[in-house]
Amino acid sequence: MDIETLALHGGYLPDPATGASATPIHQTAAYAYDAADDLADAFSGRAPGYIYSRIGNPTSSAFERRLTELEGGVGCLSCSSGMAAIASVSMGLTRVGDHIVASGGIFGGTVSFFAKTLARFGVETTFVDAGSVDAFRNALRPNTRMVFVETITNPRMDVPDIPTIAEVCREAGAPFVVDNTVTTPILLRPGEHGADIVIHSLSKFINGHGNSIGGAIVDTGNFDWRNGPFEDIKLLAARAGKLAFLAHLRMLIYRDLGCCPSPFNSFLHLLGIEGLPMRMEAHCRNAQAVAEYLANHPKVTRVNYPGLKANRYHELASHLFGGRFGAILTFRTGSTKAAEAFIDNARLAQNLANIGDSKTLIIHPASTIFQEFSPADREAMGVPDDLIRVSVGVENVKDIIADFETALEKV
Ligand SMILES: *Cc1c(COP(=O)(O)O)cnc(C)c1O
């Protein structure tokens, strides 16, 4: 089945007990068994079965099966947030003394997790230029246990060469983890380009309506857990095969961190995913039009969007994402004052700290998300003081452009 069909039908058959066509919300903490033996079998893994919703829940499982099919993976684990997914994967792959290579310019929460939180537990992260495969190669060490990239970094808008970095990781025996939040499986299935693990913040395009936080981890089946440097996962691989890493998380790291999703949020993510293929097409179409409009506007000094022909990553992005370039773009207005005037005068676009909503969102990153950094650091991170980030929504694009036109008049 193709992606539009999987988004609607993947992983769910009408409930055999009731015929319910929508996935029921199994709002329960635990699951009752008639016989002592049956619950013991569920605990030991001798028989499949739900035990407690911190470990698994049928509504969340339906979501996990659907995302597995959309990503073309072997299995999925859903989490309370994108950060929980990143924390679970990182803690599942590393121990004290291990090393991570991550691309620079990625989501601030992820940078903080690697550079601050994980560093407290003795795991060191080297950040490298997302646009340089050599930088990834040169940063690898014998104790590197994970290489991490985002498909399009935000807000720098760098596009890493995922297929080539995947080869470098394969040679080094280090799992390649790709955060596919901003492109979603509609634009890219990282597993088809050699990624081993795919991560999502569901809070963005997959939910699509800005109504709940969530995360997910998909194993693409590319990494051979029977070999490689992970002794505990190797042991599990004898029994769980390709699902060894996810079993390692569900039976240990994820279970112990307690970062399970709420069944109600899983229901909302399932609902969101149904319209994802259509929404992503509309997001990309609108973003392309808005980028071209801004690029021709006399008050805009620079537009950063991989869909523009002059963009450094245009060719690579075009190849990777099938001629679509996502919904996030940034532009510069010449001064902090001008950027703030634009935000103050936009009416349709909402000024808030999120991306991937169906509605158009704008933010001035320098005074908000990046306010804790010095102007010099911000410049290096690709966040000059006059930058505006836009997450282009699926409204009629004429209305988005009219709103921007009015706001730019006041700049
Ligand atoms: C938002 C985001 C995250 C973190 O996800 P939350 O659901 O907010 O915890 C991770 N990666 C990217 C690319 C994001 O945009």
Side-chain angles (χ1 to χ4, degrees):
M1 285 191 283
D2 221 321
I3 205 137
E4 295 83 357
T5 318
L6 291 175
L8 288 161
H9 296 274
Y12 185 66
L13 295 170
D15 181 26
T18 61
S21 143
T23 311
I25 302 169
H26 292 276
Q27 196 69 34
T28 183
Y31 306 83
Y33 288 76
D34 284 338
D37 259 3
D38 293 342
L39 185 55
D41 284 349
F43 260 86
S44 72
R46 280 190 296 272
Y50 294 101
I51 297 169
Y52 189 62
S53 283
R54 172 155 44 73
I55 307 166
N57 172 280
T59 310
S60 302
S61 300
F63 176 85
E64 290 166 356
R65 288 193 298 270
R66 185 164 301 172
L67 190 60
T68 301
E69 292 191 22
L70 283 171
E71 283 287 2
V74 295
C76 171
L77 194 54
S78 55
C79 305
S80 53
S81 69
M83 285 317 303
I86 290 166
S88 300
V89 167
S90 310
M91 296 177 89
L93 290 175
T94 60
R95 301 167 178 266
V96 60
D98 285 344
H99 176 243
I100 292 172
V101 177
S103 102
I106 54 179
F107 180 69
T110 311
V111 174
S112 171
F113 177 72
F114 289 151
K116 296 182 182 160
T117 303
L118 212 48
R120 289 167 52 109
F121 297 92
V123 175
E124 192 189 341
T125 301
T126 306
F127 293 95
V128 301
D129 175 0
S132 162
V133 174
D134 283 340
F136 283 90
R137 190 181 285 114
N138 296 336
L140 288 166
R141 301 179 191 165
N143 61 340
T144 303
R145 292 289 175 265
M146 156 172 156
V147 175
F148 184 96
V149 302
E150 287 174 8
T151 51
I152 307 176
T153 68
N154 158 17
R156 276 182 62 102
M157 309 298 295
D158 290 326
V159 180
D161 183 347
I162 288 173
T164 315
I165 298 170
E167 281 170 31
V168 171
C169 294
R170 185 83 53 234
E171 279 163 31
F176 184 29
V177 181
V178 175
D179 182 333
N180 196 21
T181 299
V182 299
T183 31
T184 80
I186 309 306
L187 269 63
L188 176 81
R189 296 185 196 196
E192 292 173 357
H193 299 275
D196 298 304
I197 292 162
V198 178
I199 282 181
H200 283 281
S201 166
L202 309 176
S203 326
K204 317 293 168 55
F205 294 98
I206 286 190
N207 175 281
H209 301 84
N211 62 34
S212 37
I213 304 294
I217 303 157
V218 177
D219 190 323
T220 64
N222 288 336
F223 196 87
D224 183 2
W225 301 109
R226 290 165 308 174
N227 296 305
F230 308 99
E231 293 307 326
D232 37 7
I233 308 176
K234 231 188 233 181
L235 288 177
L236 275 172
R239 203 171 89 193
K242 284 196 174 296
L243 291 172
F245 178 62
L246 292 178
H248 165 64
L249 293 185
R250 203 184 286 275
M251 290 156 58
L252 190 70
I253 311 293
Y254 168 89
R255 183 197 67 186
D256 292 358
L257 286 175
C259 58
C260 58
S262 119
F264 183 63
N265 284 0
S266 294
F267 172 81
L268 292 171
H269 298 315
L270 268 168
L271 211 53
I273 223 170
E274 291 193 356
L276 181 67
M278 285 172 293
R279 273 191 286 110
M280 283 313 284
E281 295 299 337
H283 275 300
C284 295
R285 206 169 47 239
N286 283 359
Q288 185 71 35
V290 170
E292 285 170 13
Y293 159 78
L294 289 170
N296 289 317
H297 197 288
K299 288 188 180 168
V300 173
T301 58
R302 193 168 186 267
V303 182
N304 195 355
Y305 182 65
L308 295 175
K309 289 215 168 57
N311 187 280
R312 169 182 172 202
Y313 295 105
H314 181 71
E315 217 169 296
L316 173 65
S318 183
H319 161 72
L320 281 176
F321 312 140
R324 297 151 306 167
F325 303 92
I328 317 294
L329 61 86
T330 64
F331 68 97
R332 298 182 65 168
T333 49
S335 71
T336 307
K337 212 168 137 277
E340 286 174 353
F342 176 83
I343 303 248
D344 291 348
N345 287 293
R347 285 287 163 266
L348 180 69
Q350 296 183 350
N351 174 34
L352 54 77
N354 197 11
I355 56 168
D357 197 318
S358 297
K359 302 170 190 124
T360 296
L361 313 175
I362 51 175
I363 193 164
H364 179 231
S367 65
T368 55
I369 310 170
F370 291 88
Q371 62 168 269
E372 64 189 271
F373 297 98
S374 70
D377 283 349
R378 283 201 295 266
E379 196 73 42
M381 294 164 102
V383 188
D385 285 348
D386 64 340
L387 189 85
I388 291 170
R389 184 186 74 190
V390 186
S391 175
V392 180
V394 300
E395 300 95 343
N396 188 304
V397 72
K398 283 188 276 188
D399 294 326
I400 304 171
I401 290 175
D403 189 43
F404 282 20
E405 181 79 26
T406 319
L408 282 166
E409 272 166 22
K410 309 268 173 56
V411 164

